[in-house]
Amino acid sequence: MTIKQTQFDAEKHSEVEKIKVESNYLRGTITPSLKNPVTGSVADDDLMLIKFHGIYQQDDRDLRNERRKQKLEPLYSFMIRARIPGGVASSQQYIQMAELATAYSSGSLRLTTRQAYQWHGVFKRNLKTTIAGINKTMLDTIAACGDVNRNVMSNPLPQTSKLHTEVYEWSKKVSEHLLPKTKAYHEIWLDGEKVESSQEPIYGQTYLPRKFKIAIAIPPYNDVDVYANDLGLIAIVENEKLIGFNVVAGGGMGSSHGDSATYPRIADSLGFCTLDQVLSVAENIVKVQRDFGNREVRKLARLKYTVDKLGFDGFQQKLNEYQGFALADAKPFEFVHNGDRYGWMQDETGHWHLTLYIHSGRIVDTEEKKLFSGLLDIAKIHDGQFRISPNQNMIISDIKAETKPKIEALLKKYQISIGDTETPTRLNSLACVAFPTCSLAMAEAERYLPSFIDRFEALLTKYSVREQPINVRMTGCPNGCARPFLGEIAMVGKAPGKYNLYLGASHVGNRLNKLYRENINEQQILDELEPLIKDFSDNKTEGEHFGDFVVRANHIKAVTNGLDFHS
Ligand code: SRM
Ligand code: SF4
C-alpha cells in the first residue's frame, strides 16, 4: 500500500501547523530568541517550538498581579523536562541532575506522573547551560514535550530485576525509534554542526497533530495507567519469559470544562503483538495518527478522537493496511491496582529496592524536611539506580545488602518516609503541579492536596475505613495531568478554591469516573463525600473498593466508554 502523507494546508490547518512547517524542522528563531537581552521570554512562534526541545516558558503566577501593577513584564522563567524512558537514572546521573537544580533552577527537582524529571524556574540566560548539563549526564530533553511521541513509561517493577530490565529495554527502544531525527536540538543547545536541512522519515515536516504518549505495563500492576495512553503495551509473560505485548490504543485524559466534544477516554484493545512486531506497531499507529489526526482543531487532535472519528473497526483496518499485518487476539491478563508498592523489597538477585513516598514528586528542602539533601546524600553512597514511579514517587533500586543499613541510617537522619506512616489513601493520592508555575491552572493542586487529605482522613477515621486504599486525584484544570478521570475520587479545578467532583473509577485504572457535583468548595466536597463514606463503611462487600462500591450502590453511573463520559 502507498501511504499518502498529510501535507500542510494553509486554508484549513491551525496556526500551530504553520509554525511547525515554517520552522525548518524545529529551529524557528530559537537561537536569536535566546540571545535577545531585552526580554526574559522567547518570540511567540518559538514558544511552541521549544516544547519539542523539552522546554516550556512559564511565569510565576503568584507574582503576576504585583508585577503588572509595577508595569513589569511577568517574571518569565522556563520549565525543563528530561526524556528518561522508564524513569531510570544512575546515582551519578541523579547527583548531576540535583546539582543542576541547585545551580540553575528554583532548587527543587520535580518527579512527574510520566516518570520524568522537571526543573522549574530556569531563567533564559541559564537555559543553554542547563540543557548542556543534562546532556553531559547522558540524558536529554528531546521530545519530552511537543507534537511527537513523549517519554515512554514502563513499570519500575522492583520485584524482579530480569523482567524489569527486559521491559525497560523495550521502553528505550520504542522511545529511540520514535525520536525526531532533526539536528536542530544539537545545533541550538549543544552547538552542534549546522546542517542545512533535516529529514523526518516518520513524522514529516508537520510532525504529529498533537502530543503522543506510550506506556508499558507489567500485569498485575497497572501503575503506568496504561489505558490513559495513546498507545499502551501490556507485557505478556509465559513461563517467566516475555513473549510480546497486548496492544491498546486511543487513551487520554484531557478535556475542557463545558465542552462535550472533548472527553477523557480509555484505550481500546487491538490485539497481541510479538516482540519482533513491537516497533512496527508503534510506528504505524503513529503514522495513522499523523495522517488522520485533526490538524484544524487542536483540542480534538489526540489519537483518541482519531479512533472515534474513524470508528474502532475503521482505525484497526487502517492500522493493518499501514503495517501490512493484523495483530493476533489479545492474551489474558489481570490488573490488581494502579498505585505503587512502598517500602523495602528484595528481588531474585538478592538486591534491595526501596520505594519512597514523595508528595507530588516534589524533591525539595523545607524547614520541616530536607528531602533534597537526604536523597543527594543517599545517591553519594549508593551505586545502583534511581527509578521514578509513574505516580511521582522515587524507587532507590539495586541496593547491595551492605549498603542497605547505610541508606536506612540516612532515611532516619533526614526523616524520609518509606510509606509506613501515611494512610493508604494518602499514599494513593496524586496531584498535578498547578500553581504557581502552570499557566493553565484554574485552582491549586500540589500545594493544596496535603491539607485536603488531612480532612478527608478524619472522615475515613470517623467511619472506620482509614485503612482502605482509595485513589484520590486532584488537578488544577481538566487537562488531566494527574490522570484524575481514573481516580476513585477526583477533584478537578474550576476556579480558585472550587472543584468539580468526580466519582467511580475502578481501583485498577480500567474504568473512568463521572461528574458527581460541579464547582464546589472544600467544605461542600467533604459534605458530599461524608454520606458516601458512611455507606461504604456500612455496606461494602469483602475486598470491594470505593470506586466499585459507588457504582454498585447506584451513587454514580459506570462510564464504560469515553463517549458516555458526559451523558
Ligand atoms: Fe500535563 C499541559 C504538567 C502529565 C495532559 N502539563 C501541561 C503543562 C505543560 C501546562 C502547559 O501546557 O503550559 C503542565 C506544566 C506544569 C508545570 O509547571 O510543571 C503539565 N503534565 C504535567 C506534569 C508535570 C504533571 C505532574 O504533576 O507530574 C506531568 C508531566 C509528564 C511528563 O513527564 O511528560 C504531566 N499531562 C500529563 C498527563 C498524565 C499522563 O500522561 O500520564 C496528562 C493526561 C494524559 C493525556 O495526555 O491525555 C496530561 N498536560 C495535559 C494536557 C491535555 C492534553 C489533551 O489531550 O488535551 C495539557 C494541555 C495541552 O497539551 O494543551 C497538559
Ligand atoms: Fe496544569 Fe492543568 Fe496539568 Fe494541572 S492538570 S499541571 S493545572 S495543565
Side-chain angles (χ1 to χ4, degrees), residues 432-435 438-443 445 474-482:
C432 72
V433 180
F435 286 98
C438 179
S439 60
L440 306 173
M442 300 170 180
M474 179 184 283
T475 56
C477 85
N479 281 315
C481 299

Side-chain angles (χ1 to χ4, degrees), residues 51 56-58 79 81-82 110-116 118 120 144 150-151 153 210-211 213 224 228-230 251-255 299 302 304-305 360 392 431-434 437-440 446 479-483:
K51 295 183 186 175
Y56 283 82
Q57 182 175 302
Q58 304 184 317
M79 176 269 273
R81 189 182 285 162
R110 176 62 156 68
L111 312 181
T112 75
T113 50
R114 293 194 71 78
Q115 298 179 299
Q118 282 187 185
H120 287 100
R150 307 275 186 98
N151 199 33
M153 292 212 276
R210 204 69 166 85
K211 58 177 77 166
K213 297 181 173 179
V224 295
N229 286 266
D230 296 275
M253 292 283 102
S255 62
K299 63 177 176 175
R302 290 292 291 274
K304 60 184 175 180
Y305 302 115
S360 285
Q392 306 165 322
C432 72
V433 180
T437 53
C438 179
S439 60
L440 306 173
E446 178 183 328
N479 281 315
C481 299
R483 301 186 285 272

